[in-house]
Amino acid sequence: MPDILSPDRWANEYKECAGKYQSPIDIEESLVTRVSLPPLHFSGTSDLPYTSTLTNNGHTVMLEINGTEPIMVSGGPLKETYTFQQLHFHWGADDSSGSEDTINNHSFPMELHMVFFKSAYNSFEKSLNHKDGLTVVSLFFEISNRDNKAYSELVDSLKSIIHPNEQVELPYLLPLDFFLPKNKQNYFTYNGSLTTPPCLEVVTWIQFKHPVLLSHKQLDSFRKLQSDTGYLTHNARPLQPLHGRQVLYNTADLKSAAPQHSPQVAFALLSVLLLFKWSS
């Protein structure tokens, strides 16, 4: 029987894991296309939920948030509205690596994925059958000398879910806004896949550029969690080939989104302007 726990063998059981639009990827900033997309619009993220359940499922830490109204995202590269399903984390054995996506081959110590399904398809499961079924809003973490108070309650609750299949209700109900970065304008976006089997290529990725800061102590709390085979670390899939996909970088600065002229073009434009001035 193939070892489906090993990413290099996933395609033996799940053929789409060998597809051409797989995630994660390395985002090479010199190769991205700068654009200025409509603003991302989040709704329900400031509402207090009535339950927040944190689970160690043996592969990651997952947070499910239930409120009176659904949490949604639209705008940016999305043509329609998407509904929040859950969020989870990927991390490594130390502060040098752990994220799934990388930027300029730089790995971050941890990455958060907020999973949304297309609202028109009514459920996460039905959305898996459509190329535009999911969007994952993702952000990186870097190390700070201070604790991030917005994450303190979640981190403190990790000690209650050390073992696989344990879960706990967060004692203080926090809105999703607490976990989102302040800067929601600068992000990369590309078409990709789930990063675990069956690796379905149904995901629009929205990867915020600027990382959120956590202390080493807070990140180390994740590394104390256990899976069925030992400590729960290295739960990130290896990087996948880009296969010619376009990666967009959204910026609110229209000037930076505009193409930059070469020195030769700039000199030619200046010459035309001077010629016009002399002849008038």
Side-chain angles (χ1 to χ4, degrees):
M1 182 176 179
D3 180 12
I4 62 173
L5 294 178
S6 177
D8 60 349
R9 298 188 181 185
W10 286 353
N12 294 345
E13 289 285 313
Y14 305 95
K15 299 302 182 185
E16 199 154 1
C17 292
K20 291 189 175 181
Y21 300 97
Q22 291 292 292
S23 300
I25 63 169
D26 175 54
I27 298 169
E28 176 57 59
E29 288 191 275
S30 65
L31 300 178
V32 301
T33 301
R34 288 174 169 261
V35 295
S36 186
L37 297 170
L40 285 172
H41 177 67
F42 289 91
S43 63
T45 56
S46 60
D47 298 339
L48 286 176
Y50 57 82
T51 61
S52 296
T53 305
L54 195 64
T55 303
N56 174 353
N57 63 12
H59 303 285
T60 184
V61 170
M62 181 174 66
L63 180 65
E64 296 172 286
I65 298 174
N66 298 305
T68 55
E69 297 293 335
I71 298 170
M72 295 181 166
V73 64
S74 59
L78 306 175
K79 295 180 180 179
E80 296 190 44
T81 300
Y82 288 72
T83 301
F84 178 76
Q85 177 75 10
Q86 47 93 352
L87 66 82
H88 61 270
F89 299 84
H90 298 269
W91 63 91
D94 55 46
D95 293 343
S96 66
S97 65
S99 64
E100 292 207 300
D101 282 332
T102 61
I103 298 181
N104 302 325
N105 287 309
H106 172 69
S107 180
F108 297 82
M110 192 165 71
E111 183 175 349
L112 183 157
H113 292 164
M114 298 181 180
V115 181
F116 294 76
F117 65 88
K118 190 171 178 178
S119 306
Y121 299 142
N122 297 319
S123 73
F124 175 81
E125 290 73 19
K126 291 179 180 178
S127 297
L128 296 176
N129 299 318
H130 301 272
K131 290 294 184 182
D132 61 348
L134 304 180
T135 188
V136 175
V137 176
S138 179
L139 56 92
F140 297 120
F141 294 89
E142 280 285 24
I143 301 299
S144 168
N145 293 326
R146 298 181 179 180
D147 287 349
N148 185 328
K149 293 183 179 179
Y151 281 80
S152 291
E153 182 199 355
L154 186 151
V155 171
D156 289 345
S157 296
L158 293 177
K159 61 181 179 292
S160 299
I161 56 167
I162 294 295
H163 303 288
N165 302 315
E166 291 184 331
Q167 62 180 211
V168 64
E169 298 292 328
L170 296 187
Y172 299 101
L173 302 175
L174 302 176
L176 191 64
D177 267 344
F178 273 59
F179 305 107
L180 286 166
K182 294 180 180 179
N183 183 336
K184 301 179 183 66
Q185 296 178 333
N186 298 107
Y187 59 83
F188 305 97
T189 181
Y190 71 96
N191 294 326
S193 72
L194 299 174
T195 62
T196 55
C199 308
L200 299 176
E201 295 175 345
V202 298
V203 183
T204 299
W205 283 87
I206 297 173
Q207 177 71 67
F208 290 118
K209 177 180 179 179
H210 301 291
V212 171
L213 299 179
L214 291 183
S215 69
H216 168 80
K217 180 180 178 182
Q218 287 180 307
L219 266 165
D220 211 41
S221 295
F222 286 85
R223 302 180 186 119
K224 295 176 181 177
L225 302 179
Q226 296 183 16
S227 67
D228 290 325
T229 57
Y231 285 107
L232 179 50
T233 58
H234 296 299
N235 60 351
R237 186 187 188 189
L239 293 173
Q240 303 298 301
L242 194 58
H243 287 302
R245 277 175 287 174
Q246 186 180 48
V247 179
L248 304 180
Y249 173 56
N250 184 68
T251 172
D253 186 352
L254 292 175
K255 291 182 180 179
S256 64
Q260 300 297 310
H261 297 303
S262 66
Q264 293 84 357
V265 173
F267 179 78
L269 289 173
L270 179 61
S271 299
V272 170
L273 289 173
L274 289 173
L275 180 62
F276 176 79
K277 180 179 180 181
W278 290 338
S279 61
S280 59

